[in-house]
Amino acid sequence: MMEHIRLPKVENVRLLDRVTPRRSRVGTLYLTATHTIFVENETGVRNETWVLHSLVCSVEKPSASASGCPIIIHCKNFQVLHFVLPRERDCHNVYLSLQRLSQPESYDELYCFSYKPNVDEEERREEWDFLDVRGDFRRMGLPNSLWKLSAVNQHYKVSDTYPADLFVPESATPPVIVGSSKFRSRGRFPTLSYYSKENHAAICRSSQPLSGFSARCLEDEQMLEAILRSNPSSDFMYVVDTRPKLNAIANRAAGKGYENEDNYSNIKFQFVGIENIHVMRNSQQKMLEVCELRSPSMSDFLEGLESSGWLKHIKAILDAGIFIAKAVEHEGVSVLVHCSDGWDRTAQVCSVACVLLDPYYRTLRGLMVLIEKDWISFGHKFSHRCNHQVGDPKEVSPVIDQLLECMWQLTEQFPCAFEFNERFLITIHSHIYSCQYGNFVGNNQRERIELGLRERTHSLWSYLWANKADYINPLYRPDHSQTQRLLPASTAPYCFKFWRGLYNRFDKGMHPRQSIQDYLSAIQEETQQLQKQLASHKQKITQLEQEQGCRSVTQREAMDKSPTAWAYGSDPGVANTPQDYTGGLLTRSPCKPKATDSGLVLPHKDPNPSSETSLSNGSDQESGIDLSCRSPLSEDSNRDPDSDEAAYSAA
């Protein structure tokens, strides 16, 4: 990529603050094969701003002004950088360089193929083996007597956008599966996404049928019948079309469409009305324009957010997921989900339903498995939707952004039900677009194998797991009653929030210095340290008490043998003065290798102690607290600093 750099370095470049353009930082701009780097010139401070070229969404070159020649870089992670260069020629060269560097023309130009962390081949293989999608199906109790692992799509001969390993009903024969695939768009026949081993209800997914206005397919009807029979507790199943009804009807004219209830026995059909990728792309663009307003009024911001329709679309996805989750959990009914091709809205809705149903998918590892299974494995077109390389701009759409926002909205409603925090979702979002790791490169499993991603790139999941301490939600309670069951999510309008942490996270001054979760994490870490110190102190207390008890026994034995003690008869309490024990009458304790400078002599207990004697005893009888263990700050604490008492108090 170095050959595309027309000018590698420009000095005296200003980086403007988006909120306050008059505030600017002066430095040097560098262009490398993978990054644009801005280094400030401020004396004593080396602040650097790095922008990965694969994260650049667009580059603008407005007209020059008296202050210089501007370049505006919009990034896919919603960062906006406004540079002002001193000379027009330099500005033009940087603009042309960035345009080419940010638009790879082939997969080999992506950053993941040049990213070389210091790991050997064995570690690379372990990275890619970290997650096991088939292991997730084993966790669900599969295969069993109702569902089987089918080899029908080995070598991707039935559907080139499906994974090779697919679970289908036990009664579905290969001819039925192949026949159904021929009646479905892109050969994406109904197959299993999630199975509830408690009530045998299942979530299946497919693409739209090629029904047109009247066509039907016996094998496809048999396939749905097999899905119904795989749930013995229900006599019907839902078929959920995630599209608006008008869109589905319009597709009939192209020979596609939706299932006719008259042709499929025991199905209930349901439209949920999620808009297509083009509407979503325009909606997000309108929302981002509102986010980039310099100083919007409250009415401008709220009206702009409302007119974008973004939160309305998030609500539609959540509504669909809630419907499916309730059908599985409360009704015990299986559901078949599809949209047009079954890799956008279908993936969104199935994922939301799984998160609502299964606490496992609310954990760090569980969410990674869910994205690997329902998105990467099932053929979401990441390269097209995320604009990883030069292609049709109409194929770009924020489908995965909407899934991550749905997860965030749910974490806001149920802060104790999710193991991961907001930072985890934002980090995944950044790496989906950065192409630093190979997980999200390519449009389907077959394409990824042909690219050799496992052999040539690294996996994101093991990196996230190695740094999981940064992504733990301090409020997570796995044993909480709310965490163990179907999440009762609400889609009332007042439940939705604007995700400032994602869309405005690069705007300085807009966020608190420390987020609530970061603050709680810090408190939690400090509490753990204090608990460790407390355990250590308790151990020292026990040790000191044992040593003190051993010394008391030794001292009593010495007193029994002492002629001075015998001289006082049966009342040794009168001998408890230092003067009575001068001359080496006390012997060294066998529990202590070295005699202390000042020993503490404990008297024999009087069977009927007076109140004065009680106060002179070594323990508080009501509280059970050894008075010798009181704080050195107490008024009657005149101790030898080298004594055991002083050492204990210091501990």
Side-chain angles (χ1 to χ4, degrees), residues 12-44:
N12 297 321
V13 175
R14 288 187 295 127
L15 175 59
L16 304 185
D17 186 276
R18 191 185 71 82
V19 179
T20 311
R22 292 183 180 180
R23 294 173 53 188
S24 63
R25 292 170 284 168
V26 180
T28 303
L29 190 67
Y30 297 91
L31 295 186
T32 72
T34 57
H35 292 80
T36 294
I37 308 167
F38 177 77
V39 181
E40 293 185 39
N41 291 341
E42 187 176 347
T43 306

Side-chain angles (χ1 to χ4, degrees), residues 553-565:
V553 172
T554 305
Q555 290 170 348
R556 286 173 182 168
E557 291 175 354
M559 287 172 61
D560 290 342
K561 297 176 182 179
S562 169
T564 308

Side-chain angles (χ1 to χ4, degrees), residues 108-262:
D108 289 336
E109 294 181 3
L110 294 178
Y111 182 43
C112 59
F113 294 106
S114 60
Y115 174 61
K116 304 295 182 185
N118 188 24
V119 298
D120 57 29
E121 286 303 313
E122 180 63 26
E123 288 179 283
R124 186 207 296 269
R125 284 192 293 271
E126 291 176 359
E127 288 177 1
W128 285 102
D129 293 335
F130 174 71
L131 290 186
D132 180 15
V133 172
R134 194 182 294 186
D136 189 44
F137 285 106
R138 286 195 298 270
R139 183 187 64 85
M140 300 179 202
L142 299 173
N144 58 18
S145 60
L146 300 172
W147 293 88
K148 64 183 179 182
L149 181 63
S150 173
V152 71
N153 200 42
Q154 292 297 313
H155 309 296
Y156 312 100
K157 57 187 178 183
V158 175
S159 174
D160 60 357
T161 63
Y162 260 177
D165 296 330
L166 294 165
F167 279 88
V168 297
E170 180 65 36
S171 59
T173 62
V176 168
I177 296 172
V178 173
S180 175
S181 71
K182 293 178 179 178
F183 190 67
R184 295 277 169 174
S185 177
R186 299 300 300 266
R188 295 171 69 90
F189 58 88
T191 184
L192 184 70
S193 175
Y194 177 78
Y195 175 73
S196 173
K197 55 186 175 184
E198 286 78 18
N199 60 13
H200 305 297
I203 300 175
C204 297
R205 56 183 295 173
S206 70
S207 60
Q208 64 183 334
L210 306 179
S211 56
F213 289 102
S214 59
R216 58 186 298 183
C217 173
L218 180 61
E219 290 85 358
D220 194 65
E221 294 165 19
Q222 291 173 340
M223 189 69 183
L224 266 65
E225 181 68 24
I227 294 174
L228 175 59
R229 287 200 302 270
S230 68
N231 183 3
S233 61
S234 178
D235 56 2
F236 76 96
M237 64 178 289
Y238 286 110
V239 175
V240 174
D241 192 328
T242 61
R243 300 168 292 180
K245 187 174 182 178
L246 288 176
N247 295 25
I249 292 174
N251 279 342
R252 281 184 161 186
K256 302 176 183 179
Y258 55 92
E259 292 82 356
N260 186 336
E261 290 184 79
D262 295 334

